[in-house]
Amino acid sequence: AAAMEAAAVPDGQYTAVVYGLIGGGRCGEAVSLLSRELQKSCRSRGGLSLLGYCHYQLQDFAAAAECYEQLVALHPELDAYRLYQAQALYKAGLYAEALRTASPLLDLPAYQGRALRLQAAIHYAQGDLPAAKSLVEEALATAADGGPGAAEDPSERADAEIILGCLLYRQGRHEEASGKFAGAMQVLGYCPELSYNMALCCYAAKQYAPALKHISDIIERGIHQHPELSVGMTTEGIDVRSVGNTLLLHRTALVEAFNLKAAIEYQLRNLKAAQEALTDMPPRAEEELDPVTLHNQALMNMDNQPTEGFEKLQFLLLQNPCPPETFGNLLLLYCKHQCYDLAADVLAENAHLTYKLLTPYLYNFLDAIITCQTAPEEAFHKLDDSAGTLTEQLRKLTKQVQEARQNWDDEAVKKAVNEYDETLDKYVPVLMAQAKIYWDMKNYTMVEKIFRKSVEFCNEHEVWKLNVAHVLFMQENKYKEAISFYEPIVKKHYDNILHVSAIVLANLCVSYILTSQNEDAEELMRKIEKGEEQLSYNNPDKNIYHLCIVNLVIGTLYCVKGNYDFGISRVIKSLEPYNKKLSTDTWYYAKRCFLSLLENMSKHMIMLRDGVIQECVQFLKQCELYGRNIPAVIEQPLEEKRMHSGKNTVTYEARLLRALMYKIIGWTA
């Protein structure tokens, strides 16, 4: 189509057509026309210049750099082309070539300021912050002296201040950095990229409300000024074509704003809002996505699409540059999904990234988790060393908070409390990893002992309280103590009872029953039932499993105690109606009870009434009917040996259990 357009340009109107396409934002079509023309006249200065401009607008920086390289060779007297070439090389990530190209411009008064700022930006991108700071200070000093290369207008000084702001941000001086960006915006007028920089400073300082305010400004302006970018269309389910990676899109800072919004919602544990932020951004094809968006997509959809998530993170790790968080997140997710060998391989293969991208704390933590698979005792000692270091820091920070409060120093209190919270967030995972070592050994007494040692710091931490409740529950003689930890968790969300994990509600109900508090158990179950009825009324298509899991756990309890008549009946009733309640998780609880029942029947340790056996057979038939498309086991992502798809269904396992039951009771067709 582009070739036909090129052929159709009338004589004498070529320039007008090209400028018309560029003016209309149709740079891709302009590239086709210009490329065709340059095949006839490859030394055309105008053609090469326009082609370089179009490539730059389309963010094809490597192609733009090639055009400007040819122009520098053809017209060495025009220094502007050398500057454009250096800028394009910098944008393409070719930093060494960009530095070499910009060096001659340092001796030219008209370009010295811009060349210094460009070189500062290049060193910043390479992580050489001292060199970047030195160059930007030189640029500011040159401008202040009014000597050769002094800034002719305030905008050039503002550009240097922006780089200084970036350096301050990297040093963790977020408030000062934000001040530099705000000062630059006063000179340059509203700029989405600067607004994004200020939002990023607020995010880094954990000031999420002002960060979201900046983000909201960027998004609203983007929607009003550029409706053609189709913001929010994908979330609404409207099929729209890709808007591409244009310079216009880059200048709106919409992609960056939506990514930061997703990160904030993710930190606030609003996963659905985080996912929506990613789909709200202007639509692009997957191959057009930038590394940060790809990283965030992988991270925020990991629960639903783990295999695709791992593929994206593995791909990003091979790219240069990639988001620095990719390496640590990939390793953590491997450990979360119990792919410890893969985590060890990635650590070994990327030793150069270990010191560059992992903090000592994170490296030691990952090392201990991986070691735990082969040498749990050694891993425990490694974690204990980390826990000891963090405990010392927490005690020092507690003292700092107390001293600051005595001195009425609000700023110092705020800083010390923030540092304390950050240190506690590091301490809790280490503590939980230690506890898990003994939990896996079923040594619950030792787990409780580990938790009691940490009560000084963690007694208000939600994760700690929840796990203390679980370990007390598992010891089977501390149900009253377990209730004292479970009850506050449930009461905190009593008006929205379904926000509480189903297993917490189930364990609390069981604890009530085993401590003869049956009325409390019944009241809690009525509350759950009302919550489910209300949610079903508001959202009829949504499947809710809270009450089902509570009943399953109670049924399991009775089976464990040997009362299979009541226990199995409770399990069966809990899964009605099957089209709403049968799932991979609920089937897991149900089949364990049936396997226990069949084992005891085969050993002639129990006898069931014929009515209960018939009830069991009918139940398994219903599971066969409704379980065709329900996986019996959720397979781990990246598993080399996949289960046979026909066998990994509730239907297959239910039929197998029914066959075993027939065999045990001696039934023949």
Side-chain angles (χ1 to χ4, degrees), residues 34 38 41-52 67-68 70-71 74-75 77-78 80-81:
L34 289 163
L38 283 166
S41 176
C42 62
R43 297 172 68 86
S44 166
R45 176 186 161 191
L48 280 168
S49 181
L50 286 170
L51 185 60
C67 292
Y68 291 125
Q70 291 180 54
L71 285 163
L74 292 169
H75 302 279
E77 73 283 0
L78 297 174
Y81 290 134

Side-chain angles (χ1 to χ4, degrees), residues 427-455:
Y427 176 63
V428 170
V430 171
L431 184 72
M432 294 304 152
Q434 281 186 294
K436 188 178 183 298
I437 292 171
Y438 284 101
W439 179 278
D440 290 342
M441 296 175 184
K442 294 185 167 48
N443 187 345
Y444 302 120
T445 308
M446 192 64 191
V447 176
E448 185 186 350
K449 188 178 174 184
I450 290 166
F451 285 152
R452 291 207 180 280
K453 277 169 59 182
S454 58
V455 69

Side-chain angles (χ1 to χ4, degrees), residues 25 92 142 157 181 188 240 266 318 392 450 473 531 635 637:
T142 304
R157 182 175 182 84
F181 299 136
L188 301 171
V240 284
Y266 188 77
L318 300 173
E392 277 182 40
I450 290 166
F473 178 84
E635 292 185 88

Side-chain angles (χ1 to χ4, degrees), residues 428 432 451 458-472 482 484-486 488-489 492:
V428 170
M432 294 304 152
F451 285 152
C458 302
N459 62 332
E460 294 300 319
H461 199 284
E462 295 296 324
V463 172
W464 182 86
K465 288 192 282 189
L466 177 63
N467 283 288
V468 169
H470 287 333
V471 79
L472 290 169
S484 71
F485 280 93
Y486 280 133
I489 297 168
K492 186 178 177 183

Side-chain angles (χ1 to χ4, degrees), residues 48 52 60-72 85 88-89:
L48 280 168
D60 187 354
F61 300 117
E66 283 183 28
C67 292
Y68 291 125
E69 185 179 9
Q70 291 180 54
L71 285 163
V72 168
Q85 183 193 354
L89 288 166

Side-chain angles (χ1 to χ4, degrees), residues 413-636:
V413 169
K414 186 179 171 185
K415 186 184 175 189
V417 167
N418 282 341
E419 283 184 33
Y420 182 91
D421 289 343
E422 285 176 14
T423 308
L424 187 61
D425 285 343
K426 291 178 180 177
Y427 176 63
V428 170
V430 171
L431 184 72
M432 294 304 152
Q434 281 186 294
K436 188 178 183 298
I437 292 171
Y438 284 101
W439 179 278
D440 290 342
M441 296 175 184
K442 294 185 167 48
N443 187 345
Y444 302 120
T445 308
M446 192 64 191
V447 176
E448 185 186 350
K449 188 178 174 184
I450 290 166
F451 285 152
R452 291 207 180 280
K453 277 169 59 182
S454 58
V455 69
E456 176 187 354
F457 308 111
C458 302
N459 62 332
E460 294 300 319
H461 199 284
E462 295 296 324
V463 172
W464 182 86
K465 288 192 282 189
L466 177 63
N467 283 288
V468 169
H470 287 333
V471 79
L472 290 169
F473 178 84
M474 291 302 292
Q475 290 180 69
E476 298 185 1
N477 60 351
K478 296 186 177 180
Y479 292 115
K480 283 194 174 179
E481 292 95 322
I483 289 170
S484 71
F485 280 93
Y486 280 133
E487 271 186 344
I489 297 168
V490 173
K491 284 178 179 173
K492 186 178 177 183
H493 301 282
Y494 204 65
D495 293 335
N496 294 298
I497 195 81
L498 299 183
H499 287 186
V500 182
S501 164
I503 200 64
V504 169
L505 296 171
N507 287 358
L508 181 56
C509 271
V510 167
S511 299
Y512 281 146
I513 292 165
L514 292 171
T515 53
S516 303
Q517 299 178 57
N518 289 14
E519 286 182 13
D520 291 330
E522 286 169 14
E523 186 188 338
L524 181 58
M525 290 177 76
R526 280 195 297 272
K527 181 71 177 173
I528 298 166
E529 193 170 4
K530 281 182 184 174
E532 289 197 357
E533 283 172 4
Q534 184 62 48
L535 192 59
S536 294
Y537 179 77
N538 296 333
N539 192 349
D541 296 329
K542 187 174 176 66
N543 291 342
I544 315 145
Y545 301 106
H546 279 64
L547 191 61
C548 171
I549 288 174
V550 170
N551 279 312
L552 280 167
V553 172
I554 292 170
T556 303
L557 169 71
Y558 279 96
C559 290
V560 169
K561 300 290 183 185
N563 187 348
Y564 283 97
D565 273 24
F566 182 81
I568 287 291
S569 296
R570 189 86 181 220
V571 167
I572 290 169
K573 284 183 173 60
S574 70
L575 285 170
E576 296 171 354
Y578 300 99
N579 61 326
K580 290 278 188 183
K581 301 299 181 184
L582 188 60
S583 72
T584 304
D585 288 339
T586 55
W587 174 245
Y588 170 76
Y589 286 102
K591 70 182 176 186
R592 289 173 72 202
C593 292
F594 273 84
L595 285 166
S596 170
L597 169 67
L598 292 168
E599 183 184 5
N600 282 297
M601 286 174 69
S602 67
K603 293 175 180 176
H604 302 289
M605 292 173 70
I606 58 165
M607 292 289 288
L608 278 187
R609 291 180 292 110
D610 288 350
V612 176
I613 289 173
Q614 283 304 313
E615 201 179 348
C616 290
V617 169
Q618 287 306 313
F619 168 75
L620 292 170
K621 283 182 177 179
Q622 291 297 311
C623 290
E624 284 180 48
L625 183 64
Y626 289 98
R628 293 182 189 282
N629 299 315
I630 300 172
V633 178
I634 301 295
E635 292 185 88
Q636 285 288 346

Side-chain angles (χ1 to χ4, degrees), residues 238-252:
I238 301 167
D239 192 17
V240 284
R241 67 181 182 83
S242 164
V243 298
N245 279 319
T246 61
L247 200 59
L248 168 68
L249 177 63
H250 177 66
R251 284 175 177 159
T252 62

